Amino acid sequence: MKPVPLSGFRDFLPGEAMARQRMLDRVRHVFERFGFAPIETPAVERLTTLRGTSGEEGDSLIFQILKRGGDLQRALTEYGSDGMTEHLSETGLRFDLTVPLARLVAQYSEEIPLPFMRYHIASVWRAEAAQKGRFREFGQCDVDIVGSSSMVADASVIQLIEATMLALGIDRFAVRVNNRKILNAMLNSVNIPDTLHIAALRSLDKMEKIGRQNVLVEMEQCGVPLQSANELLLLTDKARDGGLGALALLEDRAGVDELTQTLGLVGHLVTNPERIAFDPAVARGLAYYTGNVYETTLLDAPEVGSVMSGGRYDKLVGMFLGRDVPAVGVSLGIDRLFAAAEGLGLTQTGAKTPATYMVAALSDAQVPYAANVANALRDAGFSVYLFPGAGDIRKQLKHAGALAIPQVVIVGEDEAATNAVTVKDISTRQQVRVTLAELLRS
Amino acid sequence: MKPVPLSGFRDFLPGEAMARQRMLDRVRHVFERFGFAPIETPAVERLTTLRGTSGEEGDSLIFQILKRGGDLQRALTEYGSDGMTEHLSETGLRFDLTVPLARLVAQYSEEIPLPFMRYHIASVWRAEAAQKGRFREFGQCDVDIVGSSSMVADASVIQLIEATMLALGIDRFAVRVNNRKILNAMLNSVNIPDTLHIAALRSLDKMEKIGRQNVLVEMEQCGVPLQSANELLLLTDKARDGGLGALALLEDRAGVDELTQTLGLVGHLVTNPERIAFDPAVARGLAYYTGNVYETTLLDAPEVGSVMSGGRYDKLVGMFLGRDVPAVGVSLGIDRLFAAAEGLGLTQTGAKTPATYMVAALSDAQVPYAANVANALRDAGFSVYLFPGAGDIRKQLKHAGALAIPQVVIVGEDEAATNAVTVKDISTRQQVRVTLAELLRS
């Protein structure tokens, strides 16, 4: 039964896993430096929690989990084929970390003081077509500020995007920002009805990916009048060229005011404000955004799309709590970024082990002494691979080479009798005999 | 839509999440110090990978994932109700990290030099009845040595159990060891046929939990002759009292030899060999073990059961690779241990945030200066919560109190004009005005 890889899912061998972990450690460090506190939630949520929070787009992403012991035949007779699915499954894998956050804030509303600045680093699952750089399971690193409607929260989130990217050694990136209230005002101004807003925004959001003509076709397919669609794209062009000032004619000013205030603060908060700019075509796919939205792209790998995105969602917590709680946040897609970093040569994935020493015993009798040597090196702070076996020193040295462990500490009868070791440098092939005390001092 | 918790699943609010993360960081540190390298694999595996590796017990633990877009009505007509389940699902959530390891070693056999010492820290899911301290989703920290049949590997794994528990601040624990070959020889010696071995072992394994009489009842229900069951328990008693020496009459000596050699090495490798002892009733539930098996229990919380268990499984990799590769490993159940540590007061879960400073602006105009102060403190290595908003200083101070942030740095017009800050100690309620430079030096 030779294993066949599952499309859209990825294994990480040690070199990749260590590099990915280094990235995650850095991200976590930045998040904590900004005062965000971690939470953990289950991978599995009720379908009633997951559904209807993020629009059809969100619903279609859910991997449902089969209920055990359900009577399929009876369910089919009683509920028909749709109802049976309900009967088969009442939970699913989370497709983001935002919906579980909203559920958590509602569930523990008595215990969580607001504003709640939390981070969450975990996997999410999306039942969509796998493609290069797009996975069905991937890690997300989310920071959110729940319980503040202040644009200071929005600006802090953008500052955190900059700090995170810089901590990952990436300085060639752009943060494009927009505001759903601006987009809604634009849609209203060209007479696109409310019921078509989400569909129109999802098409607009694909501008860079599928091009202007296809956006128009898509919008028309959704029922947007061609004239309105054309006017919308012209307005978008105008705003792209002229900035927020070009939107002077919009009747509803709330979005323009929010974004102006946010960008004003951002100018003070970040080290390089030139990386952050208004882009009227940024919309974000999910339905729950209500204010500013953010996307971060890599200048040297724009084809991977947005690596750190988010926005303000002032109504989502209210879906669970019964009263609105404003919230804003951003999510780093660690696996998309990691794939990009591998492609750009920004990360080293060649290591095979964390060990810097291997300890090799020449025969079984020296294993206890070899273990003592290994323990002494570990106590001195080194990562040490004690070869699980003894004898055949050539095999052990070859293995050290295969794992790129730089130093092999060899112990035989002589060494054990004199508290000494023979240290072999794998690259120079030179070896010296020293006392254990000397080794620990080196 | 007030959220209802899912039975068997757990949320971690910041205090718990931070304490759990501290435990995981320590575990990871120990694993790396011993030269184990990390891997990551998907949560989702093919059912063909998961099934049949671990016996019926394993199969019944699988949470299956619903295939999207399946035509249920057609499937039912064509395949009947059993076949339809196949049609509905071809993947499931992993129930351990050992089966994915075996799959990975087979899949990347060309790229992974053996012996492969890897660790894996991740969640697993088990579709079983939820009960106190037993979760349906929980974290496991696994170390395994693949590709060595030497008892040095077994002894190293036991040494690692000791090192891990000590690193977690736990010194009152016992490691009970046994060997499947010994158990099989015992079963043979009392004439229990091979086909009933796994069932008999699963019952024997429950001795501590359900008691002697119930073990006998269970064995009889599985078809084990009462006389054989009685003889087995008598032999177990004898071995418990007399140690491995009491098994002198067993015909097949392989297991006794393996365990004797392992315990001999362990005596040299661990700091306190008295914690490790042979227990003839330890069997482990899953079918794939072939040699030594290990269980670790907390002396102060025996009721939580085994927190770090494992053993040797020399046939599992072969199920995927077509040729046997010996392997041995152990798994720490972090959530069961964390629950126990909470119960024993071994872990602090009272913190609400990693922040040691909150920066509070008296009005919007001081937000940029407040952000500068926050950034300067962050650069100095502190975790800083910049209040996402401004004004109402009483509200901000109350929030700092609720989050137990010890120091609040207040900035108003005066402070901003003079590069100063007012620092308020939340517990003493004293406040002092100092320059920003003085704050950073403090």
Side-chain angles (χ1 to χ4, degrees):
Chain A
M1 186 173 60
K2 184 81 182 169
V4 183
L6 262 176
S7 168
F9 294 90
R10 192 173 169 187
D11 294 310
F12 295 90
L13 295 182
E16 297 166 319
M18 282 188 278
R20 186 173 182 272
Q21 188 62 54
R22 273 197 304 275
M23 283 181 72
L24 289 174
D25 285 345
R26 283 182 196 165
V27 169
R28 174 151 69 106
H29 183 71
V30 175
F31 289 179
E32 297 209 343
R33 204 148 43 87
F34 275 73
F36 287 87
I39 62 163
E40 303 278 347
T41 68
V44 177
E45 295 274 356
R46 289 182 191 281
L47 290 179
T48 49
T49 299
L50 297 174
R51 275 183 182 151
T53 52
S54 315
E56 275 171 47
E57 174 108 353
D59 287 1
S60 73
L61 298 176
I62 301 170
F63 273 121
Q64 293 185 41
I65 292 169
L66 209 58
K67 222 159 116 174
R68 290 180 62 236
D71 181 335
L72 307 187
Q73 181 69 67
R74 187 175 145 250
L76 187 68
T77 315
E78 280 187 32
Y79 309 102
S81 140
D82 280 0
M84 190 176 62
T85 313
E86 298 293 319
H87 188 80
L88 288 175
S89 162
E90 55 190 17
T91 62
L93 294 173
R94 62 181 168 217
F95 55 82
D96 72 5
L97 302 177
T98 312
V99 173
L101 170 64
R103 192 265 305 156
L104 180 113
V105 168
Q107 192 169 327
Y108 304 91
S109 58
E110 308 289 313
E111 297 160 59
I112 298 176
L114 300 182
F116 182 37
M117 291 178 58
R118 87 87 181 78
Y119 76 89
H120 193 176
I121 298 180
S123 294
V124 303
W125 292 264
R126 293 190 179 176
E128 56 188 343
Q131 45 180 266
K132 195 175 149 51
R134 175 179 283 189
F135 305 104
R136 288 178 161 176
E137 172 175 349
F138 54 95
Q140 284 199 331
C141 310
D142 278 33
V143 282
D144 291 82
I145 301 175
V146 179
S148 167
S149 54
S150 165
M151 291 303 120
V152 176
D154 292 67
S156 293
V157 163
I158 295 175
Q159 186 194 356
L160 191 72
I161 294 177
E162 186 196 49
T164 306
M165 299 306 282
L166 294 179
L168 293 174
I170 298 166
D171 62 358
R172 292 188 31 81
F173 63 92
V175 183
R176 297 176 304 146
V177 299
N178 197 359
N179 187 295
R180 276 287 175 94
K181 295 190 181 91
I182 293 178
L183 286 164
N184 288 333
M186 285 168 66
L187 295 169
N188 288 335
S189 78
V190 300
N191 300 313
I192 297 178
D194 282 8
T195 50
L196 294 176
H197 278 197
I198 286 293
L201 290 182
R202 277 227 296 278
S203 296
L204 184 65
D205 203 46
K206 295 183 192 159
M207 182 77 89
E208 237 169 87
K209 215 163 160 186
I210 64 175
R212 191 180 189 89
Q213 199 51 43
N214 289 320
V215 169
L216 286 173
V217 170
E218 259 202 35
M219 285 192 184
E220 229 189 333
Q221 281 167 349
C222 298
V224 177
L226 186 58
Q227 194 190 337
S228 295
N230 262 319
E231 282 175 13
L232 179 67
L233 295 197
L234 288 175
L235 192 54
T236 309
D237 291 342
K238 216 172 114 187
R240 184 180 282 120
D241 297 340
L244 287 168
L247 298 172
L249 290 178
L250 285 186
E251 217 166 290
D252 183 346
R253 309 296 304 159
V256 174
D257 291 347
E258 284 182 9
L259 192 47
T260 306
Q261 203 190 332
T262 302
L263 290 174
L265 281 166
V266 163
H268 294 287
L269 267 57
V270 301
T271 61
N272 181 0
E274 284 178 18
R275 294 196 187 100
I276 295 105
F278 168 57
D279 182 337
V282 166
R284 308 289 309 135
L286 298 176
Y288 51 59
Y289 292 112
T290 57
N292 292 328
V293 287
Y294 322 106
E295 286 198 353
T296 308
T297 43
L298 303 179
L299 298 185
D300 297 321
E303 71 282 1
V304 304
S306 177
V307 293
M308 198 165 182
S309 317
R312 182 168 276 283
Y313 50 98
D314 286 347
K315 304 286 177 189
L316 185 61
V317 177
M319 293 180 65
F320 300 101
L321 189 57
R323 60 179 162 85
D324 283 345
V325 176
V328 60
V330 72
S331 177
L332 170 69
I334 194 74
D335 289 305
R336 188 184 280 194
L337 185 61
F338 182 69
E342 277 184 300
L344 294 174
L346 285 176
T347 183
Q348 300 297 323
T349 57
K352 300 268 185 189
T353 167
T356 50
Y357 283 102
M358 175 185 284
V359 179
L362 290 184
S363 77
D364 284 341
Q366 281 92 48
V367 167
Y369 178 65
N372 284 344
V373 172
N375 285 340
L377 283 167
R378 285 167 189 153
D379 288 345
F382 294 103
S383 168
V384 181
Y385 185 110
L386 174 65
F387 194 89
D392 199 345
I393 188 64
R394 285 180 52 143
K395 186 178 128 192
Q396 296 189 59
L397 289 172
K398 197 178 152 208
H399 189 57
L403 293 182
I405 298 177
Q407 308 269 342
V408 180
V409 179
I410 303 167
V411 300
E413 210 173 326
D414 279 7
E415 284 89 348
T418 55
N419 254 334
V421 294
T422 296
V423 182
K424 182 165 185 123
D425 184 303
I426 289 294
S427 56
T428 65
R429 289 166 174 273
Q430 291 195 314
Q431 62 182 57
V432 291
R433 180 172 298 194
V434 296
T435 66
L436 179 53
E438 284 166 343
L439 172 66
L440 295 174
R441 273 200 303 275
S442 70
Chain B
M1 185 172 60
K2 183 80 182 171
V4 183
L6 261 176
S7 167
F9 294 91
R10 195 177 166 182
D11 294 310
F12 296 89
L13 295 182
E16 298 166 317
M18 283 188 277
R20 186 173 182 271
Q21 188 62 54
R22 273 196 303 275
M23 281 181 71
L24 290 174
D25 285 345
R26 283 181 195 167
V27 170
R28 173 152 68 107
H29 183 70
V30 174
F31 289 180
E32 297 208 343
R33 205 147 44 84
F34 275 74
F36 288 86
I39 62 164
E40 302 278 347
T41 68
V44 176
E45 295 274 355
R46 289 182 191 281
L47 290 179
T48 49
T49 299
L50 296 173
R51 276 183 182 152
T53 52
S54 315
E56 274 171 47
E57 175 108 353
D59 288 2
S60 73
L61 297 175
I62 301 170
F63 273 121
Q64 295 185 40
I65 292 169
L66 210 58
K67 222 160 117 175
R68 289 179 63 235
D71 182 336
L72 306 187
Q73 180 70 68
R74 188 175 143 251
L76 187 69
T77 316
E78 279 186 34
Y79 308 101
S81 129
D82 280 359
M84 191 175 62
T85 313
E86 297 294 318
H87 188 79
L88 288 175
S89 162
E90 57 190 16
T91 62
L93 295 172
R94 62 180 169 218
F95 55 82
D96 73 4
L97 301 176
T98 312
V99 173
L101 170 64
R103 192 265 304 155
L104 180 115
V105 167
Q107 193 170 326
Y108 305 92
S109 57
E110 309 288 311
E111 295 160 61
I112 297 176
L114 300 183
F116 181 38
M117 291 178 59
R118 87 87 181 77
Y119 76 89
H120 192 176
I121 297 179
S123 294
V124 304
W125 293 264
R126 295 190 179 176
E128 55 187 344
Q131 44 180 265
K132 195 174 149 49
R134 174 179 284 188
F135 304 104
R136 287 178 163 176
E137 171 175 351
F138 55 94
Q140 285 199 330
C141 310
D142 278 32
V143 281
D144 291 82
I145 302 174
V146 179
S148 166
S149 53
S150 164
M151 291 303 118
V152 175
D154 293 67
S156 293
V157 163
I158 295 176
Q159 186 195 357
L160 191 72
I161 293 176
E162 186 197 48
T164 306
M165 299 305 283
L166 293 179
L168 293 174
I170 298 166
D171 62 358
R172 291 188 32 80
F173 64 91
V175 183
R176 296 177 304 146
V177 300
N178 196 0
N179 186 295
R180 277 286 177 92
K181 295 189 182 94
I182 293 178
L183 286 164
N184 288 334
M186 285 166 68
L187 295 170
N188 288 335
S189 76
V190 299
N191 299 312
I192 297 177
D194 281 9
T195 50
L196 294 177
H197 278 196
I198 286 293
L201 291 181
R202 278 227 294 278
S203 296
L204 184 64
D205 204 46
K206 294 182 191 161
M207 183 76 88
E208 237 169 89
K209 216 164 163 186
I210 65 175
R212 190 182 189 89
Q213 199 51 44
N214 289 320
V215 168
L216 285 174
V217 170
E218 258 203 37
M219 284 191 184
E220 228 189 330
Q221 280 167 351
C222 297
V224 177
L226 186 58
Q227 195 191 337
S228 294
N230 263 318
E231 281 175 12
L232 179 66
L233 295 198
L234 287 176
L235 191 54
T236 309
D237 291 343
K238 215 172 115 188
R240 183 180 282 120
D241 297 341
L244 287 168
L247 298 171
L249 290 178
L250 283 186
E251 217 167 292
D252 183 345
R253 308 297 303 161
V256 174
D257 291 348
E258 283 181 10
L259 193 47
T260 305
Q261 203 191 333
T262 302
L263 289 174
L265 281 166
V266 162
H268 294 287
L269 266 58
V270 301
T271 62
N272 181 1
E274 285 177 19
R275 293 196 188 97
I276 295 107
F278 168 56
D279 183 338
V282 166
R284 307 291 308 137
L286 297 176
Y288 51 59
Y289 293 112
T290 57
N292 292 328
V293 286
Y294 322 106
E295 286 198 354
T296 307
T297 43
L298 303 178
L299 298 186
D300 298 322
E303 70 282 2
V304 305
S306 178
V307 293
M308 197 165 183
S309 317
R312 180 167 277 284
Y313 49 99
D314 286 347
K315 304 287 176 188
L316 185 60
V317 177
M319 292 180 64
F320 300 102
L321 189 57
R323 59 180 162 83
D324 283 344
V325 177
V328 60
V330 72
S331 177
L332 170 69
I334 194 75
D335 289 305
R336 187 183 281 194
L337 184 62
F338 182 69
E342 277 184 299
L344 295 173
L346 286 175
T347 183
Q348 300 297 323
T349 57
K352 299 268 186 188
T353 166
T356 50
Y357 282 102
M358 173 185 284
V359 179
L362 289 184
S363 77
D364 284 342
Q366 282 92 49
V367 168
Y369 178 65
N372 285 345
V373 172
N375 285 340
L377 283 168
R378 286 168 187 150
D379 289 345
F382 295 103
S383 168
V384 182
Y385 185 111
L386 175 65
F387 194 90
D392 199 345
I393 188 64
R394 284 180 51 144
K395 186 177 128 193
Q396 296 189 57
L397 290 172
K398 199 179 149 204
H399 190 57
L403 293 182
I405 298 177
Q407 310 268 342
V408 180
V409 179
I410 303 166
V411 301
E413 212 173 322
D414 278 8
E415 285 88 348
T418 56
N419 253 336
V421 294
T422 296
V423 182
K424 181 165 184 121
D425 184 304
I426 290 293
S427 55
T428 66
R429 289 165 175 278
Q430 292 195 314
Q431 62 182 56
V432 291
R433 181 173 296 196
V434 295
T435 66
L436 178 53
E438 283 166 342
L439 172 67
L440 294 174
R441 273 201 301 274
S442 70

